[in-house]
Amino acid sequence: MERGLGYVATGSTDTAATLLRTSPWGRSLWITERAWTPPAGDVLRVTTIPRVGGTVDPKRLGDLRAAAAAFLGKDGGGLVVLDCLEYLVLHNGPDRVARALADIHDEISTRGGTLVVLIDPRSANPRLAAWLAREFDPLSVSAADLGPARAGGALTA
């Protein structure tokens, strides 16, 4: 993975978590609607349930861009993983989410960060999946890339 690029990946969240642990970046932000905690980095929960800090409403897509910018800060650099694509589409529609992802990617790229969008091909909107395949590089991590002690599945694009 290179700084300033965006990647699209399919696979389990366990394997993506392994990717975070083996990432060359010291900092990461995991944007998710899931109730689990990634093994490394900061977490931003996307939920309709109002909570104190660390959450954002799925209908407020601009807040995701602001959160990524705040995370990367002035120094830039870092990995941002978006693991709630289908949830965002449910609340906003595929066209609005595609525009928001383009904005988020631009923000992250200009700050020297890297964006990884996790997608479930079984439930993803076909038009949005095709757009992601055109706009983002495929990310493929095999068990061999992760090493024998870390291999728990394959993350493929």
Side-chain angles (χ1 to χ4, degrees), residues 17-157:
T18 303
L19 174 69
L20 280 181
R21 285 193 298 268
T22 61
S23 164
W25 293 269
R27 309 173 52 222
S28 63
L29 174 64
W30 189 281
I31 302 171
T32 184
E33 93 280 2
R34 300 175 200 281
W36 69 287
T37 303
D42 298 336
V43 177
L44 178 64
R45 300 244 187 261
V46 179
T47 179
T48 58
I49 302 169
R51 297 183 187 167
V52 178
T55 64
V56 66
D57 189 299
K59 294 177 184 168
R60 299 183 55 88
L61 295 173
D63 289 353
L64 294 176
R65 180 180 181 167
F71 167 74
L72 295 172
K74 293 181 205 172
D75 301 332
L79 178 65
V80 177
V81 178
L82 189 124
D83 178 28
C84 56
L85 186 66
E86 290 82 9
Y87 190 65
L88 294 174
V89 169
L90 175 69
H91 286 278
N92 300 285
D95 295 334
R96 234 180 122 212
V97 170
R99 286 190 302 273
L101 282 175
D103 289 345
I104 292 167
H105 182 241
D106 288 346
E107 186 72 40
I108 291 170
S109 294
T110 58
R111 294 177 183 269
T114 301
L115 174 64
V116 175
V117 178
L118 298 180
I119 186 170
D120 182 356
R122 296 170 300 191
S123 61
N125 177 282
R127 278 186 32 217
L128 185 57
W131 178 83
L132 283 167
R134 281 191 316 271
E135 297 296 321
F136 291 78
D137 292 334
L139 180 63
S140 178
V141 178
S142 68
D145 295 332
L146 298 173
R150 298 185 198 134
L155 182 65
T156 58

